[in-house]
Amino acid sequence: MNNYIPFLKAKSNEIIALGELSPEIAENVFPFFDVPKKKGGQTEEEFKSSVKKMISSFSRHLSALPGFYLDNFDIDDKFLIDGGHNYKFLLESSAGFNVIPVVSIDRSLEHLSAVSSLKNNGTLVSDVIACRFTPEDLESFDVIRADIDRDLGAILKQFSTVDLVLDCRVCANLEAAKLSRDV
C-alpha cells in the first residue's frame, strides 16, 4: 500500500526531487502528475518535445517509485498530436511505466476512448484507474450519477480498482463546511 500521493506538475524539478528520495521512502510514494500547460500555448512539435523530455526525466529519476498517476487536466481537449487526442499521445509515450490513467465526467469522448483503447491493446498495464472529481462535480451526486454511469461505466469496468480522486483544488477561497458536506 502506498502511503503518500503528492499532487505535482510534471516539471523537471519536481520529478528530480522525487528521484532524491531514499528507496525506503520512494517505495511508499505514488505521485499524481498533471502535465502543465505552457503559457502562451505551444505547437504540436513543442508538446512532443516536452513530453519526450518528461518521459526521459521519469526514466532517470522515478525508477524507485512503484508508479504514478498521469493526467492532462490543463491541456485543451482540442489539442491534437499526430491527428489524435493529446492524452493518447501522453499515455502511449508513458508505456513502460506503471501509469494510472485519469478519467472524469468532464473529459471528452476522445480522452475516454484513448484510455479504453490503450487498456484493450495492453499499452496500459495498470489495473487501476483514477476517477477525478472537482468541487463543481461534487455539488450534487444525484445530478452527476447518470453522467458517471453513462460516460464512465464501461471504461471503469475495464479496471479492477477505481481510485476516487476528490480534487478540491486550493481550498482557501472555498467554503470548507459546504465543500465537506458535498464530498
Side-chain angles (χ1 to χ4, degrees):
M1 181 175 119
N2 301 308
N3 296 324
Y4 183 60
I5 302 174
F7 278 73
L8 305 168
K9 293 291 183 190
K11 294 182 176 182
S12 60
N13 286 341
E14 296 190 16
I15 297 167
I16 291 168
L18 288 170
E20 295 296 317
L21 297 173
S22 71
E24 301 79 30
I25 292 175
E27 70 185 16
N28 291 302
V29 175
F30 209 100
F32 189 111
F33 287 114
D34 272 320
V35 175
K37 176 172 69 173
K38 300 287 183 198
K39 291 180 181 172
Q42 62 186 335
T43 67
E44 183 176 335
E45 290 307 314
E46 289 169 335
F47 183 81
K48 288 167 124 177
S49 176
S50 69
V51 169
K52 183 178 180 181
K53 289 176 188 172
M54 178 184 73
I55 298 302
S56 176
S57 192
F58 285 167
S59 295
R60 284 193 313 275
H61 303 289
L62 300 185
S63 61
L65 273 61
F68 54 88
Y69 298 84
L70 186 62
D71 199 5
N72 68 336
F73 186 86
D74 295 325
I75 308 294
D76 190 329
D77 266 328
K78 294 176 181 70
F79 185 59
L80 303 179
I81 304 299
D82 297 329
H85 196 273
N86 63 77
Y87 197 51
K88 182 177 186 206
F89 179 80
L90 281 169
L91 293 176
E92 286 174 335
S93 298
S94 304
F97 297 99
N98 182 25
V99 174
I100 294 179
V102 181
V103 297
S104 183
I105 59 172
D106 66 352
R107 304 306 170 92
S108 69
L109 179 58
E110 293 79 14
H111 178 105
L112 301 176
S113 294
V115 174
S116 182
S117 67
L118 294 173
K119 179 62 176 168
N120 282 338
N121 75 17
T123 301
L124 283 173
V125 295
S126 175
D127 235 3
V128 180
I129 189 169
C131 192
R132 185 177 188 169
F133 294 101
T134 60
E136 297 79 27
D137 300 326
L138 301 172
E139 288 178 359
S140 176
F141 178 72
D142 293 333
V143 171
I144 67 166
R145 179 189 313 238
D147 295 338
I148 295 169
D149 291 340
R150 181 190 67 237
D151 298 342
L152 302 178
I155 195 169
L156 296 178
K157 289 178 184 173
Q158 291 180 264
F159 296 82
S160 64
T161 303
V162 177
D163 284 355
L164 184 59
V165 178
L166 304 175
D167 178 359
C168 295
R169 317 270 58 207
V170 176
C171 296
N173 295 326
L174 300 175
E175 296 178 43
K178 180 186 180 317
L179 184 59
S180 65
R181 284 190 305 274
D182 290 346
V183 168

